[in-house]
Amino acid sequence: MPAILIDGSEYEVAEGRNVLQAALDHKLDLPYFCWHPAMGSVGACRLCAIKHYRDETDKRGRLAMGCMTPAREGTRVSIEDPEAGQLRRSVIEWLMINHPHDCPVCDEGGECHLQDMTVMTGHAHRRYRGRKRTYRSQYLGPLIHHEMNRCIQCYRCVRFYDDYSGGHDLGAFASRDRVYFGRVEEGVLESPFAGNLVEVCPTGVFTDKPFRRHYTRKWDLQTAPSICGHCGLGCNTLVGSRYGSVRRVTSRFNGEVNGYWLCDRGRYGYDYLNADERLRQPTRPWGEVVAAIARAAAAGRLAAVGSPRASLETNFALRTLAGDGRFCAGFADRERALLRGFVAAARGGRFHVPSLQEVERADAILVLGADLTNEAPLLDLAVYRARQRQNAGVHVAALSAGRLAEIAASTDHLDPAAAARLAVRAAELVETGTAVGDRAQFPEANTAGRQTERAETGAKERAGTGEGTGERAGEREGEGALAGEIAAALTAVERPLVITGTLHRSEDLLDAAVAIVEALGARRGVPAWLALAVPEPNSIGLALMERPGEMGASELLEAIEAGAVDTLVVAENDLYERFDDPERLTAALRRLDALIVLDHVAGATTAIASHAVPVAAAAESNGTLVNNEGRMQRFYQVERPAAGVAPAWSVARDLALEAAERGGSDSDVAEPGAGDAPGIPKQGAGSGTHGAESTTGGPGDAGDDRGLAQTVGGWRHLEDVTAAIAVAHPELAAATEVAPPAGFRHAKQPIPRQTHRVSGRHATNEPDALQRPGRRETPIDRGHDPGDVETPFAFTMEGHTGPVPPALLTRIWAPGWNSNEAINQFQIEVGGPLHGGDPGRRVFAARADATGALEPARREGRGPAPDGPADDGRLLVCAAAEQTAIAGERDDARLLVCAAAEIFASEPLSRRAPALAELAPPAYLRLHPDRAEALGLRAGATFALQLIIGERRRRLQLAIETDATLPPHVALVPFGYPQTRWWQRPLWMRVETGGEVAS
Amino acid sequence: MLNNEELAALDELRSHYPDARAAAVSVLRWMQRRRGYISDESLRDAAGYLGLPAAELEGLATFYNLLFRKPVGRRVIKVCDSVSCWMCGYEGIRDHLRRRLGIGFGETTADGELTLLPAVCLGNCDRAPSLMVNEELHGGLDGEAVDRIIDGSAATPLDAGGDDAAEPDARASNDGGDLRHDRAPVAPAVGGVAEITPIITRDIVPGRAPLDLAGYRAAGGYQGLRVAIGAMSPEQVRELVTRSNLRGRGGAGFPTGVKWGFVPQGAGAPRPKYVIANGDEMEPGTFKDRLLIHGNPHQLVEAMVIAGWALQADIGYFFLRPEYERGAELLAAAIDEAAAAGLLGDDILGSGWSFELHAHTSAGRYICGEETALLNALEGKRPNPRSRPPYPAVAGLWGKPTIVQNIETLACLPHIVVNGDDWFRRLGLTEDAGTKLYCVSGMVARPGNYELPIGVTLRELIFEHCGGMRDGREFKAALPGGASTMFMTPEELDTPLDFTHLEHAGNRLGTAGVIVADRDTSVVGMVLNLMHFFAQESCGWCTPCREGLPWIEDLLRDLVEGRGRAGDPQLLAHEMRMIGPNSFCALALGAEGPLLSALEKFPEEFEAYVRERHDGRARGKQGGTGSTAAATPSSASSQASGAGATAAGS
């Protein structure tokens, strides 16, 4: 490590840093604007001026920019040098020539990097006496507010938006002192990462528009660390709230996961909390709910449905309430199979599951059947970064490539079966190729100019060849060549990565992806990388918690229909999103004696529930989630739920406790025959979770209600449940370690959720936030805020203000650093991991650097039998099931209707946020123009349509979109819309039009 | 929407560039020529055609001075507002135009006929004041001449081979350009130095079209190329140039051979390698490249091939400012002729070495003359400068080794190759080598281009070659090398104008665009004009230049217009010292030269402006329509001119 001299003191710095980084690494205040840890140095703002001395004899030195001066061994610089200080002051003075000084009405006020730097440099007196330049600001859509007059031309916005994240519609215009950052014409910013402009802009040019509507200064916000719940990537967030409503979400740095960034769904999706569709009042008295459960439990007819959007603790408590064999995780069947497959393979070490930051380091990527832009946006960004950083070859085989089409070396619009087949073929080629990285080994790849040709002839030709959907891999020249190209690309590099998703709920796609990474791993002797984009924040966690014998969705339905279940408890789940036959589901649910739904939003299931019980939303509760890479992370409460509303885990606990008490007293007799339904064990019949495996349960008397009561009776706090999970699931044991315990105190003080501030107004208006005079015992004296016994935090601005463990960062604030740039002060090295390590614990062992040959681990007797297209018998994986299904049912009169993901519409919570709803396109049917024409569907118009699947008909109104890149046999419908909630898998459908609907 | 004919034309244009982005400026210029201006639709059409985001093209369209995003008249009048024209009556021309047309700058007459725009130095400083109407250049104007131009009854414009009737002494001109040296560019015997014949302007004859290939060959042209490729190894050529002590004529004076030494050579060197001729001449007071480009394009083609051979480059570009469109056409024709004769293209003269040459016309921005900004401009990016390292010689155009060389520097090469380094070194009067094109403008009797041995003194230049001060006026000050050099006072008249001596004197030879001010010219007014230029031409990348220079301009305008305050001169000096050396590139450093030297050498003049305001007296005479344009307080001029008196009569 080089040592450099700053103002005469020696500092060790990491290799390859510049002086600005080095200074910040050592927490020395050196002001800057244009430099950004993720985006590097460009030397534009001239603020990080230092004095640079040639050697020890050089007494005069010369002014230089810290960001442009390499920190080499022996580099001598001064920050305190008066000339350097003068220049920094001057830079601020120059910037203030045109800055409007509207801090009191600016949303950035109080967390403005420009304010901080102005104070830090000491500029206080303006000598400029001319007029200020003014600009016209633009409408940039419902998410971002634009106020160009505040601009200080640091160029960070365009560098992030265009260069770093691949946007196109934000530009730097004009020149001299009139440089303008905006769009060519007013309109919605197109990038799904536009919200990050709010954070990269050092002042108030780009501000959070929804936040403006219910504006609160940073110091008035209660803020707590959270995990984004709007897809499965587990991006770290900070949620801010005030006066009973969540006001905004910002990114929380995690060097392993999201870095500095969030997608717009993650940033703005929170507003569903403030939308009308919240469930706020119980529909029946609590006693009735308890009675219903007690009765059903005693009768052995109780079942519970968990949710991949709920925490591990909620799911575990619910399963405990119902008993193992009577718990359904709440996945759709195919989704469940897919996740189980992934988890089993990941556990088996057959590949390495990369973090988002690792994805950025991949050097060849195959995206298989997934639309990352719309399914898991930050994964899209990571792939884009890999392209930029590693020059990674990106190959996409999917119906929609999203933004990746622009950077992909190849994009093939293939239906899921064809994509799987392509991947299987590529896996075969990887396996049979003999020399790593030698393209000559893959003769099919050596079709010079193929790429260009493909690009030019485009969709038409491929559409033509798409006729052969049912054919075997390799029989079509283009596909064989593509498989060869992909195989060659993945084989030639050090860190090949295959990404697939759950959009099509296709196990075949996963199998094919696994086949490739296994072939790559076998060839290299080091596991290759596989990432899965999952839709919900705890999809993987719930899959990891699954036990043998647990019910799937269909089994649950059958049990209800068979009468084996007459009371169902559903937590944070809308069953209508998990079944493809809503009529059958409704009929089954109507059979129930009681449908008890614990949720924080109203939906189709709460609408039909006999007992709807409001529970706390994520922002109102605490819990543990497992993201797509198997990282366990903790989210924390920032807002108090409405009176009488509790987190789902504690509701489940209370139900179990009270039902057990009541059930034990008046009913020891289960109805005979209740447990006879196939596969449904009798309530409390020995295989229960509670009991033997519970840390807090009573002694060995598992199986009776008193045992249950004792078990859950010990769960006073969330931590108790987490501890029980750790015992029941050793794999998840580290769940207790992802964050310090609730009792964590620093010098007996809790961690405040607010930044401290000394002001009379605050003392008057925010009594909760202060110790109340005259009160004997303050929250701080007790070490506990009375409202919050579940976390190390307090709903106050008082408490420990020093460094905290990284998982407990509530306030990105440090002396002199009020803006989010203060995160620098919490990192070991700026841009690097947080002090104490980036939060979260991985379930799957990090295998990125494992060495040694992989054991020829193979399939574990799961999925379709190996009788597919593996003609040489060596390739065990096949894409048979999907392919047979798709090919077998194929006929020209029908369309294979597949799901499309829409970033702002397909996720059921965020789509309720008003700003995002504004951006959601109307539900559409997207198909090849020729097919549209044949069906008499006019692009741009809305049609009343019937989609006919066998006997079933689905009537819906869809806007017609045409896309010539789609295979002619495919049509896309966005999932997650109310009218497409039933969609579960690609299916051949006949489309009948009921005519155009007048708009 | 683009029709098929338009698409065909664009395809032709596009074929000259390696990628769509690089073609962007040319496509936008084409759109503008065809459709009058770049409408939103045209921008979208261009974006669609090139496959680039509209925002990216907008970033270019709004950057360049001569790309119009608003409708303009059928004729666009670009009035040069730079320092030489300002000194010689720009304000009178401007006011006349405003009155006559009833519009201000940036406006178009109601009939949609004429648009009035200010323009950065048109490179016509010796015929100041000047203006362009579309692509026609007019100089030596007065109100009547302007009327004739507006009425369409003016004589043939300069670039088309004619001259302006208004030109007082009807100097010669030729088809190839506005040759402003009024005599054959001979360096006469001065100060005991032997008479020499002109070198790089040898074949440029006033009133004659530039030589074609045959003519150029007959005059001895392409001999250098034959010698270099036929008889010398690339290394030998590089060594020859190093020994010749040729220093860059673009302003920095960096030794050419040393720069060439940074270019990676050998089989392992990155390819392609590039040579770029920097013809983006926009430094106020500088018009030498215009002469060389319009007067003898083949000499530059030959020079580029020699440089290409020496560096073992693959591709060469001429980068020209848009006002030199005629020059670009001449160069393109010369390139075609040379290629047809086998002097360009594959396997030149059987050497096995291939070299291609293109002429690119920019869209008007001073910063593009900065070599790294030029690289970005050529790549089709916003022409902000790049940080160094890496240096262009190692990683330049598209990241490949690139040498950017000024037009005049290149013009020396054939002659060095033919005559040897010793000959070239001995051309200079001082330790510097070669001849130098001195472009003299301002208040001298015979402004123009003079090719003279490098190292003539300022006195010789003005009083021997240029016939002394205009109308016998009194010499007050001169900028020796364009807008970004330091004022020289009468005491400095005997300083040799070369790199070494001027550096010694704390000044720079710059472009050797000598701008001469007389006693009645306000130095403060001159500096205001120059600061306006630098503030206007800042690219907007770094804070000091972008925000600081307009402030400087503001302070100076306050002074000149009577709003100055005590302490303003000190504030100006302080701010300039902070801005200049701390900017990203050398543009603002260039602004420092004239301002700080003016403050140092003419402090009374600045103080006079402050004082007069306090005295409550009139602001001093307005520089009206005549040749003394500046607003100069009477007291200031009398105080400031003191020592200059002796210089006049020599």
Side-chain angles (χ1 to χ4, degrees), chain A residues 42-46 63 65 68 83 86-87 90-91 93-95 97-98 127-131 133 152-153 155 159 168-179 182 184-185, chain B residues 43-44 53-55 58-59 62-63 69 365 382 387 535-536 538-544 546-548 550-551 553-555 558 563-565 568 571 574-575 578-579 582-584:
Chain A
V42 292
C45 75
R46 318 306 281 174
L63 288 172
M65 295 305 131
M68 308 297 273
E83 273 180 40
Q86 170 62 57
L87 176 53
S90 285
V91 169
E93 180 169 17
W94 295 325
L95 292 173
I97 284 175
N98 284 308
R127 291 172 294 178
Y128 174 70
R129 47 185 196 253
R131 293 161 66 87
R133 165 203 64 206
I152 58 164
Q153 276 81 16
Y155 289 82
R159 284 162 58 220
H168 297 306
D169 57 323
L170 186 77
F173 306 140
S175 63
R176 55 172 303 185
D177 58 344
R178 296 174 189 154
V179 176
V184 175
E185 292 163 286
Chain B
L43 191 82
R44 280 193 297 270
E58 181 78 319
T62 55
F63 189 95
R69 281 289 275 119
R365 212 51 213 245
R382 278 170 66 86
S387 64
Q536 144 78 29
S538 166
C539 75
W541 176 248
C542 74
T543 307
R546 182 187 64 240
E547 308 288 345
W551 185 18
E553 183 191 345
D554 230 57
L555 284 167
D558 278 359
R563 296 184 300 269
R565 294 184 190 174
D568 276 2
L571 180 58
H574 174 264
E575 288 305 308
M578 297 306 294
I579 293 166
N582 296 312
S583 295
F584 189 85

Side-chain angles (χ1 to χ4, degrees), chain A residues 588-712:
Chain A
L589 295 179
R590 290 226 164 98
R591 284 180 55 104
L592 292 168
D593 288 347
L595 173 60
I596 299 154
V597 181
L598 321 179
D599 211 335
H600 47 85
V601 288
T605 307
T606 55
I608 198 177
S610 60
H611 304 71
V613 181
V615 294
E620 300 158 347
S621 59
N622 311 291
T624 311
L625 301 170
V626 186
N627 77 351
N628 74 315
E629 49 149 340
R631 180 183 299 269
M632 293 180 281
Q633 304 186 101
R634 183 75 40 85
F635 63 91
Y636 285 105
Q637 178 185 8
V638 66
E639 184 53 66
R640 291 184 170 110
V645 174
W649 71 265
S650 73
V651 173
R653 173 202 60 192
D654 293 349
L655 287 174
L657 206 55
E658 294 183 34
E661 280 164 7
R662 184 184 294 230
S665 65
D666 64 20
S667 165
D668 279 338
V669 189
E671 277 180 52
D676 293 350
I680 310 292
K682 188 175 170 240
Q683 175 79 18
S687 66
T689 310
H690 53 279
E693 290 148 358
S694 166
T695 45
T696 52
D701 53 350
D704 66 13
D705 293 330
R706 218 175 47 225
L708 177 64
Q710 253 176 359
T711 300
V712 301

Side-chain angles (χ1 to χ4, degrees), chain A residues 113 205 314 406 568 650 705:
Chain A
H113 187 51
V205 178
T314 291
E406 290 172 24
L568 191 63
S650 73
D705 293 330

Side-chain angles (χ1 to χ4, degrees), chain B residues 9-226:
Chain B
L10 285 173
D11 284 346
E12 203 284 321
L13 208 58
R14 167 79 178 74
S15 70
H16 289 279
Y17 296 93
D19 67 21
R21 186 165 283 118
V25 170
S26 289
V27 166
L28 289 172
R29 291 184 74 238
W30 184 89
M31 285 276 183
Q32 177 164 301
R33 270 202 303 278
R34 186 176 174 87
R35 301 180 180 181
Y37 77 107
I38 301 166
S39 65
D40 291 354
E41 188 198 351
S42 296
L43 191 82
R44 280 193 297 270
D45 284 349
Y49 173 75
L50 291 167
L52 293 172
E56 210 175 314
L57 293 190
E58 181 78 319
L60 299 174
T62 55
F63 189 95
Y64 287 102
N65 291 338
L66 293 184
L67 292 176
F68 306 139
R69 281 289 275 119
K70 286 180 182 169
V72 291
R74 277 178 288 283
R75 289 189 291 164
V76 177
I77 303 177
K78 290 165 277 187
V79 189
C80 176
D81 66 359
S82 285
V83 63
S84 301
C85 285
W86 171 83
M87 219 187 281
C88 299
Y90 149 77
E91 288 173 343
I93 299 297
R94 176 195 64 195
D95 296 342
H96 181 81
L97 276 165
R98 283 179 176 163
R99 271 196 309 275
R100 164 78 202 265
L101 302 176
I103 55 173
F105 279 136
E107 295 174 358
T108 301
T109 51
D111 61 358
E113 176 61 24
L114 287 160
T115 296
L116 196 57
L117 291 176
V120 173
C121 184
L122 294 171
N124 198 35
C125 321
D126 50 343
R127 298 170 57 87
S130 57
L131 58 76
M132 278 184 103
V133 181
N134 289 348
E135 284 166 14
E136 298 168 357
L137 180 66
H138 301 269
L141 301 170
D142 58 16
E144 279 176 38
V146 167
D147 287 342
R148 278 196 297 277
I149 292 166
I150 292 171
D151 299 338
S153 60
T156 323
L158 296 170
D159 271 352
D163 209 336
D164 285 311
E167 182 64 14
D169 53 352
R171 282 179 236 148
S173 178
N174 75 3
D175 286 346
D178 52 322
L179 302 188
R180 295 276 58 80
H181 53 119
D182 53 347
R183 295 163 291 169
V186 174
V190 170
V193 175
E195 181 172 326
I196 62 154
T197 51
I199 312 296
I200 58 175
T201 56
R202 182 189 65 199
D203 299 324
I204 302 174
V205 179
R208 194 186 72 187
L211 296 173
D212 61 6
L213 179 63
Y216 182 64
R217 273 179 156 161
Y222 286 111
Q223 253 194 53
L225 185 153
R226 286 181 186 284

Side-chain angles (χ1 to χ4, degrees), chain A residues 17-18 20-21 24-25 32-42 67 155-156 158-165 196 199-200 251 253-255 257-262 357 360 378 381-382 384-386 388-389 820-821 823-824 827 829-833:
Chain A
R17 314 281 284 175
N18 61 51
L20 172 60
Q21 287 174 310
L24 296 171
D25 287 350
Y32 62 88
F33 284 124
C34 66
W35 175 82
H36 187 285
M39 298 188 282
S41 309
V42 292
C67 72
Y155 289 82
R156 268 185 168 194
V158 287
R159 284 162 58 220
F160 168 76
Y161 194 95
D162 299 328
D163 306 345
Y164 187 90
S165 66
N196 293 298
E199 295 192 51
V200 296
S251 79
F253 180 86
N254 186 319
V257 187
N258 51 312
Y260 290 88
W261 318 118
L262 280 185
Q357 296 307 301
E360 286 193 9
L378 240 67
L381 180 59
Y384 185 82
R385 293 306 307 154
Q388 299 295 100
R389 283 174 62 170
N820 58 357
E821 300 286 327
I823 193 69
N824 291 342
Q827 293 165 332
E829 289 169 356
V830 278

